[in-house]
Amino acid sequence: MLGVIGGTGLNQVEGVEIIETRSLSTPWGQPSAPAQRLRWAQGECWFLPRHGEGHTLAPHRINYRANIHALRLLGVRRVLAVAAVGGIAPSPGPGDLALVEDLIDYTWGRAHSFADGLAGPLQHIEFAPPFDPAWRAQVADCATRCGVPLVTDAVLGVTQGPRLETAAEIRRLAKDGCTLVGMTTMPEAALAKEAGLSYATLAVVVNPAAGTTDGSIHAAIEASLGAGMAQVHRVLEALVGATDQA
């Protein structure tokens, strides 16, 4: 079963039917929101809004461990994480999609492992690459078949948030090799690997990062988010049908 982690709007997409809502408890507390089983594109998937109902949870306050554990309890084995990000490099630009290839973690203070000495055993997972190659290839193939171009060599810098970055911070990320910047892929990706789930991040670029262009970042987000998410929905629709039959 496919699990989708993303914003709060997927359950409102035309043609999507909510067929079950499940509230779960985990050893790490409550997930961000009840999970919804959706019927879409002649297939089904589980959907979990990362920031909670109404988009109220800041990136550093999300219970990533509970979210990943809940999806595993629901029988999810492959996870597609949808993330709105800023563009550091000229490409991909606002409105474009990227299937993230690698990441650098700049977050701090988040519960980043199930190995807490109490509920989870110690694991030293291999994290190169952080995203499952076979699963990424399947996502890329679905995007190709539905005519959505993807950048597939993006490196994501994951920052603490919820504030946006300074121009100096973006220059530092660029020097480190980051081409995108976001706030939620870590520790989500590492926890998914600890849980034995295939995980990939589909990023929609919604703004140029601070200092890379003139103008308001929030205005750029408003201008490009709708077009980018429409592309995401096309990929998801193809993926849900293909994955449900796999």
Side-chain angles (χ1 to χ4, degrees), residues 115-178:
D116 60 358
L118 299 173
L122 176 61
Q123 295 188 69
H124 297 289
I125 58 169
E126 291 191 29
F127 206 48
F131 307 102
D132 183 85
W135 177 224
R136 285 183 76 248
Q138 185 174 350
V139 176
D141 180 65
C142 280
T144 298
R145 286 191 283 108
C146 65
V148 175
L150 287 181
V151 172
T152 57
D153 60 352
V155 177
L156 177 67
V158 189
T159 58
Q160 181 71 357
R163 67 166 178 85
L164 299 178
E165 299 73 30
T166 68
E169 287 170 334
I170 292 300
R171 290 195 296 270
R172 175 198 173 190
L173 267 62
K175 289 180 180 178
D176 287 349
C178 299

Side-chain angles (χ1 to χ4, degrees), residues 157-205:
V158 189
T159 58
Q160 181 71 357
R163 67 166 178 85
L164 299 178
E165 299 73 30
T166 68
E169 287 170 334
I170 292 300
R171 290 195 296 270
R172 175 198 173 190
L173 267 62
K175 289 180 180 178
D176 287 349
C178 299
T179 57
L180 301 174
V181 58
M183 300 177 186
T184 57
T185 300
M186 286 296 292
E188 197 173 85
L191 292 166
K193 180 155 284 194
E194 282 191 9
L197 306 182
S198 299
Y199 180 97
T201 290
L202 182 62
V204 53
V205 181

Side-chain angles (χ1 to χ4, degrees), residues 12-29:
Q12 300 170 358
V13 175
E14 183 177 353
V16 173
E17 177 188 2
I18 302 172
I19 57 178
E20 182 181 359
T21 299
R22 188 87 65 88
S23 296
L24 296 169
S25 296
T26 80
W28 293 273

